[in-house]
Amino acid sequence: MAIEKYEDLNLVQLDVLREIGNIGSGNAATALAQLLSRFVDMKVPEVCLLDFQQAMQAMGDPENTVVGILIRLTGDVEGIIMFLLEEPFAKTICTTLMGDHPFSLLELDPSDMSVLNEIGNIMGGSYVNAIANIANMLIDISVPALTVDMLGAIMNVPVVEFSQVGDKVLMIAEQFLMDGVEIHSKMLLIPTVDSLQTLLDKLGVC
């Protein structure tokens, strides 16, 4: 049965997407550990299909200032990945790599922005590689685009761009443990409906 919108996904298909999210999260934790030269553990990520309003509520106050890192997917899968990082996550990454220094999301210097862009690139690549390897597909990612704004404003991007696929989004909430400190990130994975159908066909999931 062809999928016309995210709401058409059945339970088996959702389970497959959740498993891809789990594998991608594991890859991301490994990539972070290598980049930071520290042990990074993680709890089992929460992977769920939510409508945009539910996703917004799950992420917190829409007026919270967050880092949004947008990566576009092209090739066998088209769509976007968006990482949403709150200040504790961003600060931990930047100070670990560049030493302790004054840090504020509202006053990111070029070095901080470069580090966070690289984190987005590495984590995005981890998820894309997981999908590509499992499904034997070729997927390219764009250079990450970083912005700092209120959560509600950043969420307007996927709402506007992908309203035609329905009102659902695959949200992956991750909890990383680094040196005993817990840091959180959230990721939205939104392939186009055609790409989603192709992915599921490749995996033999009807």
Side-chain angles (χ1 to χ4, degrees):
M1 178 179 173
I3 297 171
E4 296 182 358
K5 54 185 184 297
Y6 276 45
E7 288 86 337
D8 293 336
L9 291 167
N10 61 40
L11 293 177
V12 173
Q13 292 165 336
L14 286 174
D15 282 343
V16 168
L17 293 178
R18 290 190 183 99
E19 184 57 25
I20 290 174
N22 287 335
I23 294 171
S25 294
N27 289 355
T30 299
L32 275 178
Q34 293 172 345
L35 178 68
L36 302 175
S37 297
R38 294 192 180 186
F39 177 73
V40 177
D41 197 4
M42 69 177 301
K43 296 183 178 179
V44 177
E46 179 184 356
V47 184
C48 48
L49 189 69
L50 302 173
D51 63 39
F52 283 110
Q53 188 59 41
Q54 289 173 324
M56 178 80 77
Q57 292 171 355
M59 290 176 192
D61 189 336
E63 295 188 358
N64 282 348
T65 301
V66 299
V67 177
I69 303 173
L70 177 68
I71 298 171
R72 297 189 181 277
L73 310 179
T74 56
D76 290 340
V77 171
E78 297 185 350
I80 64 171
I81 289 175
M82 178 177 282
F83 291 99
L84 298 164
L85 311 179
E86 295 183 357
E87 184 158 326
F89 187 104
K91 181 177 181 178
T92 297
I93 296 299
C94 289
T95 56
T96 297
L97 289 174
M98 299 190 300
D100 195 24
H101 63 281
F103 183 91
S104 169
L105 287 186
L106 298 177
E107 298 178 358
L108 290 177
D109 63 31
S111 296
D112 291 328
M113 295 182 69
S114 177
V115 166
L116 293 174
N117 259 321
E118 184 59 18
I119 289 296
N121 193 45
I122 289 171
M123 294 179 70
S126 297
Y127 282 96
V128 168
N129 288 338
I131 296 171
N133 290 337
I134 292 171
N136 193 26
M137 303 173 82
L138 296 175
I139 309 171
D140 295 317
I141 62 175
S142 70
V143 174
L146 183 147
T147 188
V148 177
D149 206 335
M150 290 188 296
L151 173 62
I154 289 177
M155 279 294 290
N156 280 332
V157 174
V159 170
V160 170
E161 286 206 27
F162 289 90
S163 58
Q164 75 274 12
V165 306
D167 65 348
K168 300 289 184 181
V169 59
L170 189 69
M171 188 184 81
I172 303 171
E174 301 164 317
Q175 300 178 58
F176 297 101
L177 296 171
M178 189 174 70
D179 295 340
V181 177
E182 189 171 289
I183 53 178
H184 302 257
S185 73
K186 293 184 175 67
M187 189 195 85
L188 306 180
L189 175 60
I190 315 176
T192 64
V193 170
D194 287 345
S195 295
L196 189 59
Q197 182 70 65
T198 300
L199 173 61
L200 293 171
D201 288 344
K202 282 275 191 179
L203 295 172
V205 183
C206 302

